[in-house]
Amino acid sequence: GLIVGSDTQLQAMCDRGDYKDAIQEMQRQIALTPRSDLYLSLAALYVRDQQEELGLASFAKALKTAKPVKKVPTQAERTLFDELLPVYLHPKDGKESLEERLTPILRDHPDYLYMQFFAATLSANKKKFEEFFSYFYRSYLSYPDCYMAYKSQGVLASLLLQRVREVHEKEFWRREALSYFRLACKEMPQDIGLYKMLICTAGAQEKKETVSFCLEAIIAADAVVPRGEIPFYIQEALQVQDKALAEKLLKKATSWYQYSRIIQDLQRQIDEH
């Protein structure tokens, strides 16, 4: 389990489902020694006590105080990761789901921590946060610079941005999310979902620069935007008054989709702008 502590009393509280007392005990231990694994335990306790926001914030603290020991994945594991990446990036294309492909791999190789980033994502999507903490934390300690590590921390910051109420807290988590999503984009420019996350996270003051960063990155990486999403990016460029960039993206889209009514309509919109 994720709950660690310096005494059996804490375990007894958890066994009884007495999470509020267990949380207080864990906070007391953290005040004495603010260790990463204790923040991780506190995160799990908050989730069990149905205090999701505090659980996510404690997990973010666990990652900030962690001391990763960087490793390099074996060739075998890296090959498997590269095989599963398209299944993760384009779930609609495949015959088998990511989960169907991943389950037997992790059953045979429970030590494949690089692959467990996928498992962490699947858990987070199902809102199984304690499971997500467990998978992600272990993977993060070995591979903090993996694109999936950056992306998941961006998503974590986004979840907190949606939940917190104070303006300064919102600003903090917005900056965190933008920073991690950008790092993820640099590592994996082909992950088209990241660009939308970035643009939707950006505040008014970062909008123009963020839209520019995203569209330039999409064009440079030749990252094919699904046909139905091209209008989103064109509208964003026009909203920040960057007609030249809208033109540039539309020209790129023409190389992906030779003929398309959407592209003709967008060309008209740009001309009229």
Side-chain angles (χ1 to χ4, degrees):
L2 289 187
I3 315 294
V4 299
S6 56
D7 52 30
T8 49
Q9 187 191 356
L10 187 77
Q11 205 50 60
M13 290 172 191
C14 292
D15 295 342
R16 289 198 303 271
D18 200 348
Y19 297 123
K20 291 213 171 6
D21 285 351
I23 286 166
Q24 280 191 314
E25 173 54 29
M26 191 53 78
Q27 285 169 332
R28 192 187 64 76
Q29 291 188 24
I30 286 171
L32 297 171
T33 45
R35 287 196 336 249
S36 171
D37 58 340
L38 296 180
Y39 279 116
L40 181 65
S41 296
L42 182 61
L45 286 169
Y46 274 131
V47 167
R48 288 187 195 182
D49 196 42
Q50 298 180 331
Q51 298 189 65
E52 244 174 45
E53 184 191 313
L54 291 170
L56 294 169
S58 293
F59 184 61
K61 269 273 182 45
L63 297 176
K64 288 279 188 213
T65 48
K67 293 180 173 60
V69 178
K70 291 183 192 180
K71 294 181 183 154
V72 177
T74 61
Q75 190 53 57
E77 189 175 0
R78 185 72 224 208
T79 303
L80 280 170
F81 183 89
D82 291 342
E83 272 174 29
L84 259 64
L85 193 60
V87 184
Y88 165 72
L89 291 177
H90 312 290
K92 295 181 188 75
D93 296 355
K95 310 279 177 288
E96 277 184 298
S97 72
L98 178 63
E99 195 161 2
E100 285 164 335
R101 292 281 298 274
L102 187 64
T103 304
I105 294 171
L106 291 183
R107 190 177 53 233
D108 296 342
H109 304 282
D111 57 324
Y112 274 13
L113 296 177
Y114 205 68
M115 299 296 285
Q116 285 185 20
F117 279 121
F118 289 131
T121 300
L122 290 169
S123 302
N125 289 346
K126 293 178 190 165
K127 299 242 184 301
K128 292 185 173 176
F129 288 123
E130 199 174 330
E131 208 175 83
F132 161 70
F133 297 160
S134 177
Y135 279 126
F136 185 83
Y137 185 76
R138 284 201 301 264
S139 300
Y140 176 79
L141 287 180
S142 294
Y143 306 109
D145 301 335
C146 174
Y147 130 78
M148 297 282 281
Y150 294 140
K151 183 178 181 178
S152 293
Q153 287 178 93
V155 172
L156 177 65
S158 290
L159 288 172
L160 283 158
L161 170 61
Q162 288 159 28
R163 285 167 164 80
V164 297
R165 286 171 190 67
E166 298 290 330
V167 174
H168 69 278
E169 285 183 294
K170 281 197 175 296
E171 216 28 69
F172 173 79
W173 290 116
R174 188 190 315 285
R175 279 199 306 273
E176 287 281 290
L178 287 170
S179 152
Y180 283 121
F181 285 145
R182 276 192 174 228
L183 287 167
C185 280
K186 286 182 175 141
E187 290 292 315
M188 187 62 66
Q190 297 299 331
D191 184 349
I192 208 73
L194 284 167
Y195 300 109
K196 207 167 195 175
M197 289 176 180
L198 262 168
I199 290 171
C200 293
T201 305
Q205 66 277 29
E206 307 114 352
K207 194 68 151 199
K208 187 174 173 65
E209 197 255 338
T210 303
V211 169
S212 176
F213 168 85
C214 290
L215 270 65
E216 292 288 7
I218 288 169
I219 293 162
D222 201 10
V224 179
V225 177
R227 201 185 298 249
E229 290 188 15
I230 296 169
F232 168 79
Y233 292 101
I234 299 292
Q235 298 301 335
E236 290 291 335
L238 293 177
Q239 268 172 13
V240 297
Q241 307 301 322
D242 199 336
K243 190 174 167 179
L245 195 53
E247 286 274 12
K248 205 169 156 187
L249 180 66
L250 200 62
K251 191 173 172 216
K252 193 64 161 170
T254 315
S255 72
W256 303 325
Y257 310 107
Q258 269 66 34
Y259 173 79
S260 173
R261 186 122 109 264
I262 285 180
I263 289 174
Q264 286 189 313
D265 290 347
L266 289 169
Q267 186 61 61
R268 244 194 325 275
Q269 284 179 40
I270 292 171
D271 294 341
E272 286 164 11
H273 186 77

